[in-house]
Amino acid sequence: MSSTLLKPPSSDAVESADSLMKGRFSCRYYEKKPVPKSVMLEILDAARHAPSSGNLQIWHKVYCITGTALEAFRDEAEAAFANDPDSMVAEYPAYPDKFPGEYEARHHDFAKIYYGALGIERSEVKERAKDVINHLRFHGAPVGLVFTVDRGFAQSAWLDLGFFMQSVIIAARARGLETVVEVQMSCPHVLLRKHLPIGENEIVVLGMAIGYPDMEKVQQRYVAPTKRRLEDIVQFHGY
């Protein structure tokens, strides 16, 4: 067994780990500064140690796209959405047709905060469409990640993909980069297959923008969404 395994954490590990998780935010503004391939390799190498049920590691592939390849996808995706937005349909339902109970209110509150920070009213359909285009363009980040799983797995097994993606986020933050997860990125899966060698046995689940944050713009526009209180999430029994 490798000596790097079973290695106890350093004395400052708690503070560092908590800071990386609690300070995370969805970054939608990035510097033009490119992310070196060596840095992406470090991030993904760390993330591949994420837990998975039965060690299945169901994250079939993570496609890392940048440079001219990313620009070509961005331009085509924007044009496709502008010409026929209904042509972009995800391969799976990301949300239910109607949010049950408290989730509807939480979703509404987030939309109010998010669009309010952008100065977009609910009635401004064209401005909201521009925001969708920003999602499709990976918010201008220098690197886009596209995550897929094998079609043979039920969605319950996709939890492991979440572990992997969270590991990417934490490893990226530790290196001075920020991210935003793009649920929207399943919608242009047909276009993604034109630009990336995604097999028919793969479902495009999510995307992620990653890069060095433009903190000046982030601070101008970002409003932190309310997180649930710990006492509303956890029930202790036996303590």
Side-chain angles (χ1 to χ4, degrees), residues 139-154:
H139 291 280
V143 176
L145 298 179
V146 177
F147 299 85
T148 72
V149 298
D150 192 285
R151 292 185 186 276
F153 286 95

Side-chain angles (χ1 to χ4, degrees), residues 120-239:
I120 300 175
E121 298 292 337
R122 187 178 183 86
S123 60
E124 295 179 301
V125 178
K126 289 184 178 180
E127 293 303 313
R128 290 197 171 211
K130 290 180 182 178
D131 182 59
V132 173
I133 290 173
N134 286 334
H135 285 276
L136 294 173
R137 296 185 67 87
F138 286 98
H139 291 280
V143 176
L145 298 179
V146 177
F147 299 85
T148 72
V149 298
D150 192 285
R151 292 185 186 276
F153 286 95
Q155 289 183 23
S156 59
W158 294 11
L159 290 171
D160 290 350
L161 178 60
F163 298 145
F164 179 67
M165 294 183 69
Q166 176 75 342
S167 298
V168 171
I169 291 168
I170 294 172
R173 296 209 75 225
R175 290 164 174 80
L177 289 87
E178 297 293 352
T179 63
V180 59
V181 176
E182 300 282 9
V183 178
Q184 193 98 30
M185 205 49 66
S186 179
C187 296
H189 65 92
V190 174
L191 287 180
L192 284 169
R193 293 177 195 280
K194 291 179 60 178
H195 294 268
L196 298 169
I198 302 172
E200 288 302 318
N201 63 314
E202 300 172 64
I203 294 179
V204 176
V205 181
L206 294 163
M208 181 187 293
I210 182 168
Y212 297 99
D214 185 333
M215 292 306 298
E216 182 177 350
K217 289 183 179 178
V218 169
Q219 291 168 357
Q220 289 175 354
R221 296 291 182 88
Y222 185 79
V223 178
T226 303
K227 298 298 183 182
R228 296 168 65 194
R229 300 178 304 170
L230 187 59
E231 54 266 37
D232 294 334
I233 299 172
V234 182
Q235 287 189 3
F236 290 106
H237 302 273
Y239 271 93

Side-chain angles (χ1 to χ4, degrees), residues 27-40:
C27 182
R28 297 180 175 89
Y29 302 96
Y30 295 90
E31 295 180 353
K32 299 299 183 182
K33 179 180 176 181
V35 180
K37 184 178 181 180
S38 59
V39 174
M40 291 306 306

